Amino acid sequence: MDEIRAELVRTALQWQEKFGVAPAITSAISEFDAATRLVGCSVEEYSSLMQDATAVRKGYDFSYKEKRYQDKANRPSGRKGSKVTRVANPKNHEWDLLIWILYDRQYEMQEAWQWEVKKFRKKFDSGERLSPDNMRGGKRLYPRTTLISSKSHRGLTVNS
């Protein structure tokens, strides 16, 4: 399945190169990545879970281990001055966990954050415009970090 993801990305980037704007694949890619790369769902399990899903399912994008996941993602176009400044605010709260993913121009995950619905609603229920900095207040899922205990690193946090 990673081969299919890679082919979809290659095709979208070729389309963008030829026609200026990439096809809208970010939500499909981010749902796949959230489930299989962040939550721990196997590709086979994800495939099975999604067989009855529709693109307009209300409330959440996928469920796994009795949790409903809502996924949001952003990707800059790569054009000069293109920077992600706005994150879509979920229209409903019929999910248990929200995962936000920031990609680079090549659809490579740069960072991912998770929010529990209660904490998210408490913090953002006013309907305010959300930014990447807002999303970074959740639990970091990617890149994962670890504490190094050796004296040479003096306990600094580094990517694992």
Side-chain angles (χ1 to χ4, degrees), residues 40-101:
C41 184
S42 73
V43 172
E44 294 76 20
E45 287 173 305
Y46 180 71
S47 176
S48 178
L49 289 170
M50 299 307 287
Q51 292 305 307
D52 295 328
T54 66
V56 292
R57 175 178 23 203
K58 185 178 179 186
Y60 62 97
D61 294 314
F62 66 94
S63 62
Y64 181 64
K65 293 190 176 179
E66 300 181 20
K67 296 285 185 187
R68 296 167 300 164
Y69 290 87
Q70 176 68 28
D71 170 72
K72 297 292 179 187
N74 294 93
R75 172 194 170 260
S77 70
R79 289 194 170 82
K80 187 176 181 175
S82 171
K83 182 180 175 188
V84 174
T85 60
R86 186 176 198 152
V87 175
N89 201 335
K91 293 181 173 66
N92 68 67
H93 297 101
E94 297 173 31
W95 41 270
D96 301 303
L97 298 166
L98 171 75
I99 294 177
W100 175 70
I101 301 172

Side-chain angles (χ1 to χ4, degrees), residues 99-144:
I99 294 177
W100 175 70
I101 301 172
L102 179 63
Y103 290 103
D104 68 9
R105 185 178 182 279
Q106 305 297 319
Y107 296 93
E108 293 295 327
M109 199 180 314
Q110 299 301 296
E111 56 186 288
W113 301 85
Q114 178 179 284
W115 284 86
E116 294 174 4
V117 68
K118 288 180 183 177
K119 290 180 181 179
F120 186 88
R121 288 188 77 180
K122 184 176 181 180
K123 184 95 173 158
F124 303 115
D125 218 16
S126 65
E128 69 185 76
R129 178 184 169 162
L130 298 179
S131 71
D133 284 341
N134 294 129
M135 301 312 290
R136 291 177 183 125
K139 176 185 174 187
R140 180 197 300 256
L141 298 179
Y142 185 88
R144 289 180 173 87

Side-chain angles (χ1 to χ4, degrees), residues 32 149-150:
F32 176 81
S149 60
S150 75

